[in-house]
Amino acid sequence: MTIRASAARTGLFGFLLLSLCTGAVAAPAKKKKADAGTVPVTETQPADASANPPAASEERTELDTMEVTGSRIKRTDYETAQPVLSIGRQDIERTGLTSIGDLLQKLPTAGSALNTAVNNGGNGSVEVDLRNLGSQRVLVLVNGRRWVNGLNAGSSSSVDLNTIPISIIERVEVLKDGASAVYGSDAIAGVVNIITRKSFQGFELRSQAGQFLQGDGLSQQHSLSIGSVAGDTSVFTDLSYTHQEKVMAGDRDISRLPTYRTGLTRGSSRTPQGRFVFTPDPSNATLPCAADGRCNLTLKQGENGADQSDFRNFVSATDRYNFAPVNYLLTPNERVSIFSALSHQFSRGVAFQGELLYNQRKSEQQLAPTPIDIGNEASPPFNTMYVSADNPYNPFGQDIGRSSDPAAPLPPPAGDAAGELPVVGPNFVGGVGSGVIFRRMKELGPRVFSQHVDTSRVGGGLNGDFDALSRLFTWNVGFTWAESRNAQRETGLVNIDRLRLGVGPLADCEATPGCVPVNVFGGQGVNGRGSMTPEMLRYIGYTGQGSTEQRMRHFYGYLSHDLFALPAGIVSAAYGAEYRIEAFADTPDPLVQSGASSTNRSLPTRGSYNVKEAYVEMQVPVLRDLPLVRTLDLTPAVRYSQYNVFGSSTNYKIGLRWKPVDDVLVRGTVSTAFRAPSISDLYLGLSDSFPGAADPCSDYTGASSGTPASPEVQANCTDTANPANGGAEVPDTYEQPNGQLLERRGGNPKLTPEDAKTYTAGIVWNPSFLPDFNAYVDWYRIDLTNAITTLGSQTILDECYRKQPRGDTCSLITRNPGTGNIDQIVNQNVNIGAINVKGVDVSGDYRLPWHALGDLKLVLDTTYLLEYTRTVTRSEGLQGQNRGDLGQAFPRFKANLTFNWSRGNWEAAWMTRFVGHQTEVCDDGAGPSLKTLGRCSDPNNPNGPRNELDDTFYNDVQLSWHMPTWDVHLTGGVKNVLDQDPPVSYSAFANSYDNSLYEVPGVFPYLRLAKSF
């Protein structure tokens, strides 16, 4: 199925600019006392609050009915059986943030997720994770309707929140419960419902700018809002521009080295001067090589590599390359958005509501220059080339990276300090010429990954009510069209096919039109400009270009009404049907597809699915006005989903809402939830990766080590029926030649949906003797099964060879029956895992009237993680741990505390965010070890060295002044006012701290001006 809209359709949707649309979720009216069942950061504001803010003492007018996130039944009471967090527009503005995704990631219930501080592995997106279950298990709605998913080829089922401009948001409701019975797929960990501004009168101009005290990271956000309400028609339009500038890793102490306070011991062997590891020809006896006959050389500083005397021994502790400073610590991001909403009341019973959004994002990430390896001891595809003896720049007069004497093999080189050797590929033979050249292509400049993302969303719907059968029916029908397209560009890459010709036999190069011999020996040369001439760089260097597209079409219709009366009240019901089409396509650069690029090979992905759904939800009053039962209601719901790719799924939910007395609400839910496999889960094209993994069959007889493997391993390695062994025994002399194995990752069309059971139970206390005080305690449990995951190469190997009887992963391993070498491991998505999560949320808010001194409001929101158990092939408890990678932080305790003060035209806020301590493994496999370097806080832990990430407090302040004469709001604030640094992490993937959980180091002041007309 093609994913690109035709020009005719594109023109049609452009024509609909003035009548756009999805039906909106009605905003709950404001109460003087906070709504039970909600944990507001501050009070929820009405839709036009920014234009006409009510006085502090003003009571709000109650709406007849409203729709609350987590239910399709309109009701008069905001209190529901499930916990909902409401974040109003004023709360958003107090943070000083310019992305709603950044705000949501700071909630205590949020886990660590992709954001613009993620450079290596980031793509400019910001996602939200709830309950540490992954952003793919959070459903994001806008005005109660699904938003188009993001463009991450590895996970196409997560929404990029940077496609939703913060200036259009009236409030955000976060349902902290599973909701597949109401909303369908993805709503396992919870639902984020973003409600936009609509009823606005006049003009509003807002401008904000700020930067770190270090003088970098300038961030600015400007918006113009225009609204009109005339009779039965209202129109709202918002234009916004957001720009975030970069912060370099080299400009912060914690991130200017590969690993904090370990010098260059964790640097890279791929240096601009080059590292040359090979077995020399006996005629090169003057080279400074080791006693075992192996050379490990680098170019002397200031030499040009024209003579053998220009080289010296490589010193691992000081000669490694510091790749860290070139990386972004905060990635640049620019967004331009237009949003328009239109509503019109045709008659008493029929109204139209529509909206349009166009958002353009330009973003980029930057890494150190491209590393290349050349030689038979390198990993694929670099092991298919060698430097020829007749290369005009080769000072050694012999082939390097090609074994010319296979009859006299030498053992593989020993692993070096950073674990980068041995890097011996399956072609390793030993003998003269065997080896590998490591080189950093500094002449090509850093690798820059840029994205140009265009997101469009148009929707329209009719809603209304009618009387029939002595009942009032409300209805809503509509359609949503959404697309997101990303044009990707990557600079600084190397064409492997051309590099092979450029360094190989001169005759091959001369026979190829345009070929230029390449010099990999001259380092940065005497002038520091690099030995590679512009002609060489033009020949082997190139810029890669690819594209990704996501599309959604959504049709829906809902009907709700009262059914009949019971002694305790009216039974209400809502019914609905939906039809949705999702399509995704990823087209990598052609050289990346063919494997001729210096980056990992990746194949294209294209696929689509459709789903038909129907649901029913009810509200059943059971008891009322009895002793210890002021109210007792049940809210059952069930949803049926029929997918064309894997079949059907039925999910239910039942909620209980009990008020024993007026001041106390007891609530609870039991439900099932599911997540359908995304298109990339199902159809992602295979891509290459080279993880480190230990082959259990290596030296399984103990011939080299003297210690044979376990009987189980020996039996599985010699079993000719083992599909991984290719019908032959693994040779008893086999030793693993390469610490990095070729892994093929990709989708799996045989996947089935993830399933979950969710439970919540809570108490809301609104004591009548303490006005304006609210307290909330909610317990939750989520049991996720059939989780979609990858096993990982090491798990696949261990399951196949370390168990008797062997596991069922052997078919994923391809081993050469002659040499015993592992040719590849297929690590596709599979349904195998389970995650079990338990925790408690404790929250509250209290408004203290200080009379002449103003009003003070305190808001507390906390969560405590009781259990986080993840099972792939074995269970492990992760609560309180940090695994150093995206989405792998599990602090037990997180909290937000806010003090809001207002008096007259002045407002002030102090906001504190707390992240509890975590422990991490303090061993990265490199040498000297972190324990030896004194970097581990608990070096003698019986389970191995551990390091603790300390408790962390972030503090933000803000002061705002309203000038009524000019109707101007002037706001100043400082984020991280106490200059809190993130805790150092030695397991972190980059920057020596978890950048998906902690702030970029530095104090960040900002100013904002808002003018209404």
Side-chain angles (χ1 to χ4, degrees), residues 647-698:
S648 63
S649 177
T650 302
N651 293 273
Y652 70 86
K653 183 170 190 172
I654 185 166
L656 178 145
R657 181 179 174 276
W658 168 42
K659 274 194 166 186
V661 294
D662 288 336
D663 294 352
V664 176
L665 169 68
V666 179
R667 60 189 179 190
T669 63
V670 177
S671 65
T672 61
F674 81 109
R675 183 179 79 87
S678 70
I679 295 167
S680 60
D681 288 336
L682 294 165
Y683 307 119
L684 181 66
L686 288 177
S687 61
D688 292 350
S689 181
F690 297 91
D695 184 355
C697 290
S698 180

Side-chain angles (χ1 to χ4, degrees), residues 8 146 204 339 365 421 436 459 464 532 558 634 644 706 772 910 916:
R146 284 179 177 267
E204 182 184 62
F339 172 80
Q365 302 79 46
L421 287 177
V436 59
M532 295 203 182
Y558 311 124
L634 295 178
N644 70 319
D772 295 315
W910 185 294

Side-chain angles (χ1 to χ4, degrees), residues 443-638:
E443 296 91 336
L444 286 174
R447 287 167 288 170
V448 178
F449 308 80
S450 61
Q451 302 85 36
H452 185 124
V453 181
D454 294 304
T455 301
S456 303
R457 184 177 188 261
V458 180
L462 297 173
N463 62 83
D465 56 65
F466 61 90
D467 293 316
L469 304 175
S470 301
R471 293 177 177 83
L472 178 66
F473 291 76
T474 61
W475 57 274
N476 192 333
V477 295
F479 167 70
T480 300
W481 174 96
E483 285 190 359
S484 197
R485 300 178 180 178
N486 180 13
Q488 305 147 3
R489 189 170 182 267
E490 182 177 352
T491 65
L493 298 178
V494 172
N495 185 319
I496 299 300
D497 289 342
R498 291 188 172 185
L499 178 63
R500 182 182 297 107
L501 282 169
V503 300
L506 186 60
D508 292 345
C509 183
E510 291 176 342
T512 305
C515 180
V516 178
V518 175
N519 180 7
V520 296
F521 297 95
Q524 299 311 295
V526 177
N527 57 16
R529 296 177 182 174
S531 63
M532 295 203 182
T533 65
E535 292 77 15
M536 297 177 190
L537 297 177
R538 282 194 294 269
Y539 180 63
I540 66 171
Y542 85 100
T543 296
Q545 299 190 52
S547 65
T548 312
E549 302 177 30
Q550 181 84 252
R551 184 182 70 183
M552 182 184 73
R553 306 290 185 264
H554 185 201
F555 302 85
Y556 56 87
Y558 311 124
L559 179 69
S560 64
H561 62 94
D562 294 340
L563 287 175
F564 52 86
L566 292 177
I570 302 295
V571 177
S572 301
Y575 319 93
E578 300 181 25
Y579 177 71
R580 190 173 80 255
I581 301 173
E582 300 269 2
F584 176 82
D586 177 40
T587 307
D589 177 80
L591 289 184
V592 173
Q593 295 185 42
S594 68
S597 172
S598 55
T599 192
N600 288 343
R601 186 184 184 191
S602 180
L603 298 180
T605 299
R606 182 174 294 271
S608 65
Y609 66 76
N610 65 71
V611 55
K612 304 169 186 176
E613 300 181 283
Y615 82 94
V616 60
E617 178 188 6
M618 300 180 69
Q619 181 176 342
V620 182
V622 179
L623 299 172
R624 193 172 303 273
D625 296 330
L626 296 174
L628 293 180
V629 184
R630 298 295 297 157
T631 61
L632 178 63
D633 300 334
L634 295 178
T635 53
V638 63

